[in-house]
C-alpha cells in the first residue's frame, strides 16, 4: 500500500511539474519569447509574425504563406 501511494505521489508531482514548466508566467514573457524566436530562429522565413490570442491565453508564432491559404502555426507560447 505504501508503494502504491509513493508511486502515485511521484506521478502527480511529475504531472504538476510538467504543467508548470511548460507555461510562461505572464503574457509579457510569452510575448518576449515569441518575438525573440521570430527574430533569431525564423528570420530566414518570410512573412513570419507573432499574434496574441486572448481567449486561449497564448502567443502564436506563425508564417503567412499566401493571400488565399491560412497561416501556418510554427509554435505556441501558452501562459
Amino acid at each position: 500500500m505504501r508503494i502504491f501511494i509513493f508511486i502515485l505521489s511521484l506521478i502527480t508531482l511529475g504531472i504538476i511539474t510538467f504543467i508548470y514548466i511548460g507555461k510562461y508566467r505572464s503574457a509579457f514573457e510569452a510575448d518576449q519569447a515569441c518575438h525573440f524566436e521570430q527574430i533569431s530562429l525564423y528570420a530566414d522565413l518570410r512573412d513570419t509574425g507573432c499574434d496574441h490570442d486572448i481567449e486561449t491565453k497564448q502567443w502564436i508564432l506563425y508564417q503567412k504563406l499566401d493571400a488565399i491559404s491560412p497561416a501556418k502555426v510554427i509554435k505556441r507560447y501558452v501562459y
Side-chain angles (χ1 to χ4, degrees):
M1 186 68 173
R2 286 185 180 184
I3 293 173
F4 176 73
I5 293 172
F6 179 72
I7 292 173
L8 186 62
S9 298
L10 284 178
I11 291 172
T12 304
L13 182 63
I15 291 171
I16 290 171
T17 303
F18 178 74
I19 290 171
Y20 182 73
I21 290 174
K23 290 186 176 183
Y24 293 93
R25 291 186 178 186
S26 67
F28 177 75
E29 290 178 0
D31 171 42
Q32 293 295 302
C34 184
H35 284 97
F36 174 76
E37 287 192 19
Q38 176 191 6
I39 293 168
S40 62
L41 300 177
Y42 299 102
D44 56 331
L45 295 177
R46 33 171 277 238
D47 296 332
T48 58
C50 290
D51 191 27
H52 185 217
D53 186 3
I54 297 173
E55 292 176 0
T56 59
K57 290 188 173 183
Q58 63 184 350
W59 277 85
I60 300 170
L61 178 61
Y62 66 91
Q63 178 185 12
K64 184 76 174 146
L65 301 174
D66 56 33
I68 58 173
S69 62
K72 175 185 171 187
V73 174
I74 299 172
K75 189 170 180 182
R76 298 174 190 270
Y77 304 87
V78 180
Y79 62 92

